[in-house]
Amino acid sequence: MTILHIDSSITGENSASRAISASIVERLRAADPAASILYRDLAAQPLPHLTLDAFADTSVLDEFLAADTIVIGAPMYNFTLPTQLKAWLDRILIAGVTFRYTANGPEGLAGGKRVIVALARGGMYDAGSPASALEHLETYLRGVFNFIGIDPEFVAADGLAIGPEQRAESIRLALGETVRLAA
Ligand SMILES: Cc1cc2nc3c(=O)[nH]c(=O)nc-3n(C[C@H](O)[C@H](O)[C@H](O)COP(=O)(O)O)c2cc1C
């Protein structure tokens, strides 16, 4: 197994998405001790905003293509993904490589990879909840990965800004979920 581990939270050691993504990678490694793991910290070493010139450098795309399993720590900022993570996605959604347009509509070309996303959100966004219309993190990531032919899996810790007890319980439940994912 070739694992690409991505983090994008700006909160360092206090980050829930980093703790959960690390737990997922640890579980995957335990299941396959020979797995190779490449780590990219998009907060510590941000990719620049996309420019036309940036398309000439395919190193981020190549890393993605070389991995069969991608684990992504994705905090919710202002109802969507961090711009650091968007800059990474801007480099892997490449027409003719990870998707193409056909007469029958768009076709994903990156199928066969496993993508697991560790979500961390301050609020609650369950279907039917007052804030559900503002959920543009999980819905966006699902749409983007579906578009390139991948059905992503999610582990979510929600309500992290509600209070310390809710935060601890949500992270505990999410870390427990990672056992199931690696099975
Ligand atoms: C800049 C910033 C913006 C945020 N915006 C939202 C938001 O729109 N909705 C929400 O539910 N939580 C929001 N939060 C709370 C985070 O989603 C929450 O703190 C989560 O734990 C962040 O993930 P992390 O712990 O991995 O950093 C925001 C936090 C920060 C730092």
Side-chain angles (χ1 to χ4, degrees):
M1 185 169 18
T2 305
I3 301 171
L4 174 60
H5 179 191
I6 307 267
D7 273 321
S8 58
S9 166
I10 60 173
T11 58
E13 286 183 3
N14 294 322
S15 161
S17 62
R18 284 175 185 268
I20 300 163
S21 75
S23 172
I24 294 167
V25 170
E26 208 39 60
R27 305 281 187 197
L28 294 172
R29 195 213 306 256
D32 179 3
S36 71
I37 301 169
L38 182 67
Y39 182 61
R40 188 180 266 277
D41 187 334
L42 295 172
Q45 290 174 310
L47 297 165
H49 284 166
L50 190 64
T51 59
L52 268 185
D53 288 345
F55 284 112
D57 176 1
T58 61
S59 53
V60 172
L61 175 65
D62 293 341
E63 268 174 25
F64 172 75
L65 294 175
D68 49 56
T69 305
I70 298 99
V71 178
I72 302 172
M76 176 180 272
Y77 294 158
N78 302 314
F79 306 109
T80 188
L81 71 172
T83 53
Q84 290 90 335
L85 185 55
K86 177 63 165 53
W88 180 81
L89 284 171
D90 286 340
R91 288 161 171 85
I92 68 160
L93 279 125
I94 304 297
V97 181
T98 51
F99 70 92
R100 69 179 164 210
Y101 292 110
T102 74
N104 299 321
E107 183 188 348
L109 301 176
K113 295 184 189 298
R114 185 177 189 198
V115 170
I116 309 172
V117 185
L119 298 174
R121 294 176 285 217
M124 298 284 198
Y125 298 89
D126 302 310
S129 66
S132 65
L134 287 169
E135 209 300 313
H136 302 295
L137 173 63
E138 180 174 351
T139 47
Y140 177 76
L141 291 174
R142 178 174 283 111
V144 161
F145 283 111
N146 284 174
F147 186 77
I148 61 172
I150 297 167
D151 196 12
E153 300 158 67
F154 293 92
V155 183
D158 287 327
L160 299 179
I162 291 173
E165 283 172 19
Q166 174 73 60
R167 178 183 165 84
E169 180 63 1
S170 292
I171 294 173
R172 189 185 70 77
L173 289 173
L175 291 174
E177 271 279 284
T178 65
V179 179
R180 181 185 58 78
L181 277 174

